[in-house]
Coordinates of all heavy atoms in Angstrom, one line a residue:
P3 N 2.3 4.4 -1.4 CA 1.9 5.2 -2.6 C 3.0 5.3 -3.6 O 2.7 5.3 -4.8 CB 1.5 6.5 -2.0 CG 2.1 6.6 -0.6 CD 2.2 5.2 -0.1
E4 N 4.3 5.5 -3.2 CA 5.3 5.6 -4.2 C 5.5 4.3 -5.0 O 5.7 4.4 -6.2 CB 6.7 6.0 -3.5 CG 7.8 6.2 -4.5 CD 9.2 6.5 -3.9 OE1 9.2 6.6 -2.6 OE2 10.1 6.5 -4.6
L5 N 5.5 3.2 -4.3 CA 5.6 1.9 -4.9 C 4.5 1.7 -5.9 O 4.7 1.2 -7.0 CB 5.7 0.8 -3.9 CG 7.0 0.7 -3.1 CD1 6.9 -0.5 -2.1 CD2 8.2 0.5 -4.0
L6 N 3.2 2.1 -5.5 CA 2.1 1.9 -6.4 C 2.3 2.8 -7.7 O 2.0 2.4 -8.8 CB 0.8 2.3 -5.7 CG 0.4 1.3 -4.6 CD1 -0.8 1.9 -3.8 CD2 0.0 0.0 -5.2
Y7 N 2.8 4.0 -7.4 CA 3.0 4.9 -8.6 C 4.1 4.3 -9.5 O 3.9 4.3 -10.7 CB 3.5 6.3 -8.0 CG 4.1 7.2 -9.1 CD1 3.2 7.9 -9.9 CD2 5.5 7.3 -9.3 CE1 3.7 8.8 -10.9 CE2 6.0 8.2 -10.2 CZ 5.1 8.9 -11.1 OH 5.6 9.7 -12.0
R8 N 5.2 3.8 -9.0 CA 6.2 3.2 -9.8 C 5.8 2.0 -10.5 O 6.1 1.7 -11.6 CB 7.5 3.0 -9.0 CG 8.1 4.3 -8.5 CD 9.5 4.1 -7.8 NE 10.0 5.3 -7.3 CZ 10.7 6.2 -8.0 NH1 10.8 6.0 -9.3 NH2 11.1 7.3 -7.5
A9 N 5.0 1.2 -9.8 CA 4.5 -0.1 -10.4 C 3.5 0.2 -11.6 O 3.6 -0.5 -12.6 CB 3.7 -0.9 -9.3
S10 N 2.7 1.3 -11.4 CA 1.9 1.6 -12.6 C 2.7 1.9 -13.8 O 2.3 1.6 -14.9 CB 0.9 2.8 -12.2 OG 1.7 4.0 -12.1
H11 N 3.8 2.6 -13.6 CA 4.7 2.9 -14.8 C 5.3 1.6 -15.4 O 5.4 1.5 -16.6 CB 5.8 3.9 -14.4 CG 5.3 5.3 -14.4 ND1 5.4 6.2 -15.4 CD2 4.6 6.0 -13.4 CE1 4.8 7.4 -15.1 NE2 4.4 7.3 -13.9
L12 N 5.7 0.8 -14.5 CA 6.3 -0.5 -14.9 C 5.3 -1.3 -15.7 O 5.6 -1.8 -16.8 CB 6.8 -1.3 -13.7 CG 7.3 -2.7 -14.0 CD1 8.6 -2.6 -14.8 CD2 7.6 -3.4 -12.6
Y13 N 4.1 -1.5 -15.2 CA 3.1 -2.3 -15.9 C 2.7 -1.6 -17.2 O 2.5 -2.2 -18.2 CB 1.9 -2.5 -15.0 CG 2.2 -3.5 -13.9 CD1 1.9 -3.1 -12.5 CD2 2.7 -4.7 -14.1 CE1 2.1 -4.0 -11.5 CE2 3.0 -5.6 -13.1 CZ 2.7 -5.2 -11.8 OH 2.9 -6.1 -10.7
G14 N 2.6 -0.3 -17.1 CA 2.2 0.5 -18.3 C 3.2 0.3 -19.4 O 2.9 0.1 -20.6
D15 N 4.5 0.4 -19.1 CA 5.6 0.2 -20.0 C 5.6 -1.2 -20.6 O 5.7 -1.4 -21.8 CB 6.9 0.5 -19.4 CG 8.1 0.3 -20.3 OD1 8.1 1.0 -21.3 OD2 9.0 -0.5 -20.1
R16 N 5.4 -2.2 -19.8 CA 5.3 -3.6 -20.3 C 4.1 -3.8 -21.2 O 4.2 -4.5 -22.2 CB 5.3 -4.5 -19.1 CG 6.6 -4.6 -18.3 CD 6.7 -5.8 -17.4 NE 8.1 -5.9 -16.9 CZ 8.5 -6.8 -16.0 NH1 7.6 -7.8 -15.7 NH2 9.7 -6.8 -15.6
A17 N 3.0 -3.2 -20.8 CA 1.8 -3.3 -21.7 C 2.1 -2.7 -23.0 O 1.7 -3.3 -24.1 CB 0.6 -2.7 -21.0
L18 N 2.7 -1.6 -23.1 CA 3.0 -0.9 -24.4 C 3.9 -1.8 -25.2 O 3.7 -2.0 -26.4 CB 3.6 0.5 -24.1 CG 4.0 1.2 -25.3 CD1 2.8 1.5 -26.3 CD2 4.7 2.6 -25.0
R19 N 5.0 -2.3 -24.5 CA 6.0 -3.2 -25.3 C 5.3 -4.4 -25.8 O 5.6 -4.9 -26.9 CB 7.1 -3.5 -24.4 CG 8.0 -2.4 -24.0 CD 9.2 -2.8 -23.2 NE 10.0 -1.6 -22.9 CZ 11.3 -1.7 -22.5 NH1 11.9 -2.9 -22.5 NH2 12.0 -0.6 -22.2
T20 N 4.4 -5.0 -25.0 CA 3.7 -6.2 -25.5 C 2.8 -5.9 -26.7 O 2.8 -6.7 -27.6 CB 2.8 -6.7 -24.3 OG1 3.6 -7.0 -23.2 CG2 2.1 -8.1 -24.7
M21 N 2.1 -4.7 -26.7 CA 1.3 -4.4 -27.8 C 2.1 -4.1 -29.0 O 1.8 -4.5 -30.2 CB 0.4 -3.1 -27.5 CG -0.6 -3.3 -26.4 SD -1.7 -4.8 -26.8 CE -2.3 -4.4 -28.4
M22 N 3.3 -3.5 -28.9 CA 4.2 -3.2 -30.0 C 4.7 -4.6 -30.6 O 4.9 -4.7 -31.8 CB 5.4 -2.3 -29.5 CG 5.0 -0.9 -29.2 SD 6.3 0.1 -28.5 CE 7.5 0.1 -29.8
R23 N 4.9 -5.5 -29.7 CA 5.4 -6.8 -30.1 C 4.2 -7.5 -30.9 O 4.5 -8.1 -32.0 CB 5.7 -7.7 -28.9 CG 6.1 -9.1 -29.2 CD 7.5 -9.2 -29.7 NE 7.9 -10.6 -29.9 CZ 8.7 -11.0 -30.9 NH1 9.1 -10.2 -31.8 NH2 9.0 -12.3 -31.0
L24 N 3.0 -7.3 -30.5 CA 1.9 -7.9 -31.2 C 1.8 -7.3 -32.6 O 1.6 -8.0 -33.6 CB 0.6 -7.6 -30.5 CG -0.8 -7.9 -31.2 CD1 -0.9 -9.4 -31.5 CD2 -1.9 -7.4 -30.3
V25 N 2.0 -6.0 -32.7 CA 2.0 -5.3 -34.0 C 3.1 -5.9 -34.9 O 2.9 -6.1 -36.1 CB 2.1 -3.8 -33.9 CG1 2.3 -3.1 -35.2 CG2 0.8 -3.3 -33.2
D26 N 4.3 -6.1 -34.3 CA 5.4 -6.6 -35.1 C 5.2 -8.0 -35.6 O 5.5 -8.3 -36.8 CB 6.7 -6.5 -34.2 CG 7.2 -5.1 -34.0 OD1 6.8 -4.2 -34.8 OD2 8.0 -4.9 -33.1
V27 N 4.7 -8.9 -34.7 CA 4.7 -10.3 -35.1 C 3.4 -10.7 -35.9 O 3.4 -11.7 -36.6 CB 4.9 -11.3 -33.9 CG1 6.2 -11.0 -33.2 CG2 3.7 -11.1 -32.9
A28 N 2.4 -9.9 -35.6 CA 1.1 -10.3 -36.3 C 0.3 -9.0 -36.7 O -0.8 -8.8 -36.2 CB 0.2 -11.1 -35.4
P29 N 0.9 -8.2 -37.6 CA 0.2 -7.0 -38.0 C -1.1 -7.1 -38.7 O -2.0 -6.2 -38.6 CB 1.2 -6.3 -39.0 CG 2.1 -7.5 -39.5 CD 2.1 -8.5 -38.4
E30 N -1.4 -8.3 -39.2 CA -2.7 -8.5 -39.9 C -3.6 -9.4 -39.1 O -4.7 -9.7 -39.6 CB -2.4 -9.2 -41.3 CG -1.5 -8.5 -42.2 CD -2.0 -7.0 -42.5 OE1 -3.2 -6.9 -42.7 OE2 -1.2 -6.1 -42.6
S31 N -3.3 -9.7 -37.9 CA -4.1 -10.6 -37.1 C -5.3 -9.8 -36.5 O -5.4 -8.6 -36.4 CB -3.3 -11.1 -35.9 OG -3.1 -10.1 -34.9
L32 N -6.4 -10.6 -36.2 CA -7.6 -10.1 -35.6 C -7.3 -9.5 -34.2 O -7.9 -8.6 -33.8 CB -8.7 -11.1 -35.5 CG -9.3 -11.6 -36.9 CD1 -10.3 -12.6 -36.6 CD2 -9.8 -10.4 -37.6
W33 N -6.3 -10.1 -33.5 CA -6.0 -9.6 -32.2 C -5.4 -8.2 -32.3 O -5.7 -7.3 -31.4 CB -5.0 -10.5 -31.5 CG -5.6 -11.9 -31.2 CD1 -5.4 -13.1 -31.8 CD2 -6.6 -12.1 -30.2 NE1 -6.2 -14.0 -31.2 CE2 -7.0 -13.5 -30.2 CE3 -7.3 -11.3 -29.3 CZ2 -7.9 -14.1 -29.4 CZ3 -8.3 -11.9 -28.4 CH2 -8.6 -13.3 -28.5
K34 N -4.6 -8.0 -33.3 CA -4.1 -6.6 -33.5 C -5.2 -5.6 -33.8 O -5.3 -4.5 -33.3 CB -3.0 -6.6 -34.6 CG -2.4 -5.3 -34.9 CD -3.0 -4.6 -36.1 CE -2.4 -3.3 -36.4 NZ -3.0 -2.6 -37.5
R35 N -6.2 -6.1 -34.7 CA -7.3 -5.2 -35.0 C -8.2 -4.9 -33.8 O -8.6 -3.8 -33.6 CB -8.1 -5.9 -36.1 CG -9.1 -4.9 -36.8 CD -9.8 -5.6 -37.9 NE -9.0 -5.8 -39.1 CZ -8.7 -4.8 -40.0 NH1 -9.1 -3.6 -39.8 NH2 -8.0 -5.1 -41.0
M36 N -8.3 -5.9 -32.9 CA -9.1 -5.7 -31.7 C -8.4 -4.7 -30.8 O -9.0 -3.8 -30.2 CB -9.2 -7.0 -30.9 CG -10.4 -7.9 -31.3 SD -12.0 -7.3 -30.8 CE -12.0 -7.6 -29.0
A37 N -7.1 -4.8 -30.7 CA -6.3 -3.8 -29.9 C -6.4 -2.4 -30.5 O -6.6 -1.4 -29.8 CB -4.8 -4.2 -29.9
F38 N -6.4 -2.3 -31.8 CA -6.6 -1.0 -32.5 C -7.9 -0.5 -32.2 O -8.1 0.7 -31.9 CB -6.3 -1.2 -34.0 CG -6.4 0.0 -34.8 CD1 -5.7 1.2 -34.4 CD2 -7.1 0.1 -36.0 CE1 -5.8 2.3 -35.1 CE2 -7.2 1.2 -36.7 CZ -6.5 2.4 -36.3
A39 N -9.0 -1.3 -32.3 CA -10.3 -0.8 -32.0 C -10.5 -0.4 -30.6 O -11.1 0.7 -30.3 CB -11.3 -2.0 -32.3
E40 N -9.9 -1.1 -29.7 CA -10.0 -0.7 -28.3 C -9.3 0.6 -28.0 O -9.7 1.5 -27.2 CB -9.4 -1.8 -27.4 CG -10.3 -3.0 -27.3 CD -9.6 -4.2 -26.6 OE1 -8.5 -4.0 -26.1 OE2 -10.3 -5.3 -26.6
A41 N -8.1 0.8 -28.7 CA -7.4 2.1 -28.6 C -8.2 3.3 -29.1 O -8.3 4.3 -28.5 CB -6.1 2.0 -29.3
L42 N -8.9 3.0 -30.2 CA -9.8 4.1 -30.8 C -10.9 4.4 -29.8 O -11.3 5.6 -29.7 CB -10.3 3.6 -32.1 CG -9.4 3.6 -33.3 CD1 -9.9 2.8 -34.5 CD2 -8.9 5.0 -33.7

Side-chain angles (χ1 to χ4, degrees):
E4 181 184 355
L5 289 178
L6 292 171
Y7 169 79
R8 294 188 182 278
S10 72
H11 280 267
L12 174 64
Y13 290 128
D15 180 59
R16 288 194 173 183
L18 178 60
R19 289 185 184 199
T20 305
M21 292 310 301
M22 290 171 66
R23 177 76 176 146
L24 170 61
V25 172
D26 286 342
V27 301
E30 303 302 322
S31 72
L32 291 181
W33 293 108
K34 181 260 180 182
R35 195 176 286 282
M36 275 289 287
F38 183 47
E40 288 170 4
L42 289 167

